[in-house]
Amino acid sequence: MNQPVPSLIHRSPKTLFPYLFTALFLLAFIDSWRRAGIEPMVLFAAKGRGNVWKFLSGMFPPDLSWNFLSLMFRPTLETIQISFLGTLIAVIIGFPLGLLGTHTLMVRGILNEAELQGVPVRRSLRYAIYFLARGVLSLFRSIPEFVWAFMFVRAVGLGPFPGVLAIGVAYGGMLGKVYSEIFEGVNDRPLEALQSLGANKLQIFFYGWFPQALPNFVSYTLYRWECAVRASAILGLVGAGGLGQQIEISMRMFNFNEVLTLLMILFLMVAGVDYLSARVRAML
Amino acid sequence: MNDLQQQYRLEEVRKVFGRHQIALDGIDLNVQRGEKLALIGPSGAGKTTLFRLLNCTLRPTTGKLWLDDCDVESLHGKRLRAMRRQIGTIYQQHNLVQRLKVVHNVLAGQLGRWSTPRSLMSLAKPADLGLAHKALEQVGIADKIFERTDELSGGQQQRVAIARVLVQDPEVILADEPVSSVDPTLASTIVRLLIDISESTRKTLIVSLHSVDLALAYFPRVIGISHGSITFDLSPDKISEAMLEGLYAGNDREQPATEAVNEPASPIAYPSIS
Ligand SMILES: Nc1ncnc2c1ncn2[C@@H]1O[C@H](COP(=O)(O)OP(=O)(O)O)[C@@H](O)[C@H]1O
Ligand SMILES: [Mg+2]
């Protein structure tokens, strides 16, 4: 009775999974390494070394002249505005879609047992909405933000606005997915209790779900804002305004000392958002 | 039969999870309005599942459940929520929203009556402080009203849960092992508090208890459940030691509360309701 237990466990198909997974991971790693043409030594070969040196030495000293800095004031502000508004739109898109894409709110678990048992029509409808929401979220985030920016530049013209829209849509897809995972991860006992005293789904959400999810919700949203600051630099390359456009211009002119200044400004902004985020989280 | 007096009627109720996990295996049960009864039985017997059926969180797989002469199978949406509002449940633990202030957890008892906008606004500014205060006073922790719930002890949290039921003011109070996470002295205090509430407002009270002694000492009707079936349904003086042995056969019987029953009143006084 005591002895055969371990062997039974090993024979069960379920426990094969970790080995299979490890093998697949190793295969994928080796294959990707080969195909991606990764050759670390090239970085240190004579030609590469020369270019790296040219780029790095061109960066120093960074251009900190008042002349240049004062010109960068507006683009910096613009980047903050793009990232802020973009993240706001992303929350507005991601929050409702994330809710509709939350498994435990829509289709399964203790909050749906009584409501959906024996009513196949209602159940199918719920599943349809759920899959639609998840599908839209996947679509929004699978298209890279610079492609969105490219499309929006065509649609609404050059400037910060297409950047805002691009971040709003692409990040809306990411936020929605993560929100739904945060909502699924909360303790469902308090939710069951709220349901049992006659609360509707929205009331359960605001009294049970959201308070529990709040710290993760806020910290992930702020993290996305931080990413949006960086992303707005890339979006500048396709004409969506902000610091990115300045980086692109300076690179094209081989003014690497200006590039370094711009990167420093970017770094300060990211660090600033990070600091803000830490303060907010400490408050919760 | 006087149907108006009937709170619950269960006929051949079965609950099967998945394909084979039989949690309840044919329960027949009648509960009159205002009755007080205790459920006992080993863990895994199906007590929690039965409570979830009684408060309309789950539906029977087969069989019939009438509540107030209403077949719960026909209830959906608004009418289902209206029925749930008439049933207040107290859980073993972890049933309060830890990050909310006590006042919001207590006022949550009003959610079945409040509109959604009203309940949202109450989170910003408590809509009925007086009501919350009165309920907390009845359970003896009025001073904790603005504290965050996770700062309270287990026993205090259980009082908050009772205060929430007081605010909800249902017809039926269900309590699923309400005292198994608090110490024995506090356990009998809380059980007596529940009985007090039930008697003074004529509410039906159904409590499942880990401690056989508490059940036998305080309840006029005690039901034993094992393996999803009712093994006895008697007044405590008719329950023999052999029946209890049979009920817990093959299981460890929890016996922490023998001395608690004879304990004098708990140090924490509570004013009773009238
Ligand atoms: N949601 C569920 N899914 C599957 N099985 C369950 C579920 N809830 C309870 N059970 C099973 O039903 C049986 C009765 O459980 P429960 O009602 O919690 O008993 P008790 O409260 O008396 O300890 C147990 O065997 C348990 O594993
Ligand atoms: Mg249980």
Side-chain angles (χ1 to χ4, degrees):
Chain A
M1 270 314 274
N2 295 327
Q3 178 260 333
V5 172
S7 68
L8 266 178
I9 289 170
H10 275 286
R11 240 181 282 138
S12 91
K14 230 178 183 170
T15 50
L16 265 180
F17 189 73
Y19 300 106
L20 210 70
F21 188 80
T22 310
L24 272 176
F25 176 79
L26 282 178
L27 262 174
F29 178 72
I30 293 166
D31 188 61
S32 316
W33 180 280
R34 279 234 220 87
R35 278 172 211 261
I38 293 179
E39 292 173 55
M41 285 307 129
V42 171
L43 262 181
F44 303 101
K47 185 154 169 284
R49 214 163 44 203
N51 284 338
V52 169
W53 177 245
K54 222 188 289 171
F55 187 67
L56 283 181
S57 63
M59 279 183 156
F60 288 96
D63 187 348
L64 295 177
S65 65
W66 177 244
N67 211 359
F68 180 65
L69 284 181
S70 61
L71 274 178
M72 289 307 106
F73 187 71
R74 261 187 75 94
T76 302
L77 208 63
E78 205 169 87
T79 294
I80 293 178
Q81 287 161 343
I82 293 174
S83 64
F84 182 76
L85 282 179
T87 310
L88 196 68
I89 291 179
V91 173
I92 291 170
I93 292 176
F95 190 78
L97 284 174
L99 268 182
L100 295 177
T102 300
H103 208 228
T104 44
L105 182 75
M106 293 296 289
V107 290
R108 288 297 296 274
I110 200 84
L111 298 184
N112 295 296
E113 291 270 355
E115 212 172 332
L116 297 184
Q117 182 177 323
V119 257
V121 177
R122 196 185 290 222
R123 179 183 292 261
S124 321
L125 193 70
R126 285 282 191 81
Y127 265 106
I129 297 171
Y130 167 75
F131 282 120
L132 189 70
R134 309 249 357 151
V136 170
L137 287 175
S138 299
L139 179 72
F140 281 4
R141 70 175 184 278
S142 63
I143 299 175
E145 57 257 35
F146 82 90
V147 176
W148 282 116
F150 196 77
M151 294 198 283
F152 284 128
V153 165
R154 295 292 172 285
V156 301
L158 291 173
F161 187 44
V164 169
L165 290 178
I167 289 180
V169 173
Y171 280 35
M174 301 179 203
L175 284 178
K177 179 201 157 75
V178 175
Y179 287 168
S180 70
E181 272 163 23
I182 292 173
F183 294 149
E184 274 162 28
V186 310
N187 180 3
D188 65 357
R189 306 295 293 276
L191 311 182
E192 180 185 344
L194 290 171
Q195 168 176 259
S196 79
L197 54 81
N200 66 32
K201 277 270 174 68
L202 270 179
Q203 291 172 323
I204 298 173
F205 181 79
F206 286 114
Y207 273 74
W209 236 304
F210 198 62
Q212 290 191 67
L214 190 65
N216 282 335
F217 180 88
V218 168
S219 93
Y220 187 73
T221 307
L222 289 174
Y223 168 66
R224 270 295 140 200
W225 183 23
E226 184 187 313
C227 297
V229 171
R230 235 175 315 122
S232 67
I234 293 175
L235 297 187
L237 301 184
V238 296
L243 277 180
Q245 213 151 356
Q246 303 306 318
I247 294 179
E248 198 257 350
I249 293 169
S250 298
M251 294 244 256
R252 205 143 30 90
M253 314 283 256
F254 295 101
N255 289 333
F256 295 130
N257 52 349
E258 290 176 9
V259 173
L260 181 58
T261 310
L262 292 167
L263 291 181
M264 281 161 54
I265 296 175
L266 218 51
F267 171 80
L268 285 180
M269 282 196 288
V270 169
V273 173
D274 187 40
Y275 174 75
L276 202 71
S277 149
R279 289 295 297 267
V280 171
R281 263 178 292 143
M283 246 164 48
L284 287 174
Chain B
M1 273 244 160
N2 186 351
D3 279 343
L4 277 175
Q5 287 306 309
Q6 189 121 29
Q7 192 83 65
Y8 281 108
R9 185 156 106 243
L10 282 73
E11 269 175 21
E12 276 298 303
V13 165
R14 282 167 56 87
K15 182 69 195 175
V16 186
F17 291 105
R19 276 169 194 280
H20 309 294
Q21 180 68 253
I22 300 169
L24 292 177
D25 196 5
I27 300 280
D28 293 296
L29 182 65
N30 281 287
V31 181
Q32 303 298 113
R33 212 174 276 273
E35 218 177 338
K36 298 186 292 284
L37 58 97
L39 294 178
I40 55 175
S43 101
K47 302 181 295 295
T48 297
T49 305
L50 181 57
F51 276 111
R52 283 177 165 153
L53 291 171
L54 294 178
N55 69 15
C56 304
T57 297
L58 299 177
R59 291 175 191 277
T61 309
T62 60
K64 286 277 177 197
L65 194 162
W66 287 271
L67 214 171
D68 275 341
D69 280 317
C70 174
D71 183 353
V72 297
E73 205 180 323
S74 65
L75 294 177
H76 287 281
K78 243 197 163 79
R79 289 180 56 217
L80 177 59
R81 289 198 297 275
M83 187 59 95
R84 282 174 178 155
R85 200 180 72 64
Q86 294 306 333
I87 308 157
T89 312
I90 295 156
Y91 298 82
Q92 180 173 354
Q93 53 182 357
H94 305 310
N95 67 107
L96 300 171
V97 183
Q98 297 291 316
R99 295 178 46 81
L100 283 185
K101 284 186 183 145
V102 167
V103 59
H104 295 304
N105 269 305
V106 172
L107 286 179
Q110 284 280 38
L111 288 180
R113 293 186 193 91
W114 283 350
S115 69
T116 307
R118 172 124 198 245
S119 13
L120 253 176
M121 280 189 295
S122 175
L123 281 177
K125 182 174 175 295
D128 201 339
L129 261 183
L131 186 66
H133 193 270
K134 186 163 161 252
L136 285 168
E137 213 160 45
Q138 283 174 353
V139 298
I141 50 167
D143 54 320
K144 307 286 185 206
I145 186 162
F146 291 121
E147 264 173 54
R148 238 174 71 159
T149 306
D150 51 10
E151 279 158 8
L152 270 53
S153 72
Q156 289 169 336
Q157 292 203 20
Q158 214 50 305
R159 283 159 191 269
V160 174
I162 295 172
R164 177 166 72 184
V165 169
L166 288 173
V167 165
Q168 185 187 345
D169 191 22
E171 285 178 16
V172 186
I173 297 178
L174 306 175
D176 186 11
E177 305 202 3
V179 293
S180 45
S181 58
V182 301
D183 68 74
T185 323
L186 204 52
S188 57
T189 312
I190 287 179
V191 168
R192 269 179 301 165
L193 177 54
L194 287 173
I195 287 184
D196 232 46
I197 293 167
S198 152
E199 281 177 352
S200 59
T201 54
R202 291 262 304 146
K203 292 185 200 315
T204 309
L205 176 67
I206 307 179
V207 182
S208 79
L209 288 168
H210 237 56
S211 147
V212 173
D213 306 272
L214 275 180
L216 298 183
Y218 289 111
F219 290 84
R221 180 178 172 193
V222 177
I223 295 178
I225 296 189
S226 71
H227 301 294
S229 307
I230 292 180
T231 58
F232 59 78
D233 180 352
L234 298 165
S235 69
D237 51 298
K238 302 217 174 63
I239 295 170
S240 66
E241 188 56 33
M243 287 176 181
L244 294 173
E245 294 278 317
L247 182 65
Y248 288 94
N251 292 281
D252 289 333
R253 181 170 151 192
E254 248 75 22
Q255 284 288 27
T258 328
E259 75 279 26
V261 180
N262 304 321
E263 200 97 7
S266 116
I268 308 153
Y270 56 91
S272 70
I273 312 130
S274 39

